[in-house]
Amino acid sequence: MFTGIVSDVGRLVSVQPIAAGQRSRIACSYDADGIEIGASIACGGVCHTVTAKGRDGEQNWFEVESAAETLKLTTVSNWKEGDRINLERSLAMGDELGGHLVLGHVDGKAQIIERTEHPDSVYLKFECAPEFARFIPKKGSVALDGTSLTVNEAEGNTFSVFLIPHTLSVTTWSDRQAGDDVNLEVDMMSRYVARLAEFSQ
């Protein structure tokens, strides 16, 4: 379980194919000694299990393996050496829930179709599949590349958000441009409400 509050921006050191899918090594500021093998870390919003960890000089790193289904549904298949990745370690009991409850189970991808710079914010408009759009209401929560964001407007298959300078400075969002795909996880509460509504009809 995560909150969508990015706690580090990692850098891909290596990406290589394996029989099960893909193995990636990610440099980070987390202390390698404090990372348990088998721990969950959201990488670009996708929950991954740590399979190895270590330190090269002063640089800490950990490795994850991505299965074929993950590669099919998310942007992980596009990862390459040098890319920056939003990271968040799993939520511990008693931690502050600063964003919203995020599972790290990405539903699919959304594409940035508009980016507009404002003096104190950046406006981003996205398009996604209808099957996901119905769970994204105006003023609701959505996780994009592992970042908990508030939906500004939602219409049809599109929705928009505003990013404040702080969010841009501590995540990879300053790198994102129109045409880029991002990982999308809809709010699980929206899913529960929709499912309950099906049985109440």
Side-chain angles (χ1 to χ4, degrees), residues 10 13 19 31 47-48 58 75 86 99 104 107 112 133 146-147 162 167 195 197:
V13 176
D31 183 356
C47 181
H48 278 88
E58 296 298 316
T75 64
N86 290 330
D107 294 293
I112 302 173
T147 312
F162 278 98
T167 302
R195 186 63 171 164

Side-chain angles (χ1 to χ4, degrees), residues 47-60:
C47 181
H48 278 88
T49 299
V50 175
T51 58
K53 62 174 184 174
R55 182 182 296 107
D56 292 329
E58 296 298 316
Q59 182 63 74
N60 295 284

Side-chain angles (χ1 to χ4, degrees), residues 33-76:
D33 292 335
I35 301 175
E36 297 292 333
I37 300 297
S40 295
I41 297 180
C43 306
V46 186
C47 181
H48 278 88
T49 299
V50 175
T51 58
K53 62 174 184 174
R55 182 182 296 107
D56 292 329
E58 296 298 316
Q59 182 63 74
N60 295 284
W61 57 265
F62 65 91
E63 288 184 353
V64 297
E65 296 180 359
S66 309
E69 185 72 3
T70 298
L71 299 178
K72 177 182 176 182
L73 294 177
T74 73
T75 64
V76 173

